[in-house]
Amino acid sequence: MAYITQIRYCHRPIHWNRKTVLDVSYNDKAFSLWTAAAGAEKGVEVSPASIQLDRQQASVLLAYLQDFLENTAQNHT
């Protein structure tokens, strides 16, 4: 489990070719994400790409997600 201390935006190309599952859990100190191995749509096998966010980093991620959702909505109207 990686504890994220900084979230930054980059311009890397985004590619995917298989679906998978994301599990989330949280308590009063951390928000955790676990991804299943690519192609594991039932989430049987956990991938090493699992992270934990504190409230500050969760707020940064939320801002990026809000921007993503707002830009997507504008592009589809």
Side-chain angles (χ1 to χ4, degrees):
M1 178 72 62
Y3 180 71
I4 303 300
T5 59
Q6 180 182 22
I7 298 175
R8 58 187 185 199
Y9 183 78
C10 68
H11 295 282
R12 291 184 188 154
I14 298 173
H15 303 284
W16 67 85
N17 60 6
R18 294 191 288 178
K19 296 177 182 179
T20 193
V21 191
L22 175 69
D23 292 330
V24 300
S25 182
Y26 58 91
N27 59 27
D28 61 337
K29 297 190 191 279
F31 186 90
S32 298
L33 304 160
W34 292 271
T35 57
E41 292 188 66
K42 295 185 180 182
V44 179
E45 185 180 331
V46 176
S47 168
S50 299
I51 63 170
Q52 285 186 332
L53 305 169
D54 61 15
R55 290 185 182 276
Q56 180 180 0
Q57 295 307 313
S59 178
V60 172
L61 179 60
L62 178 60
Y64 282 126
L65 289 169
Q66 286 175 328
D67 186 52
F68 168 71
L69 292 172
E70 290 167 7
N71 287 331
T72 300
Q74 292 173 2
N75 292 336
H76 288 89
T77 57

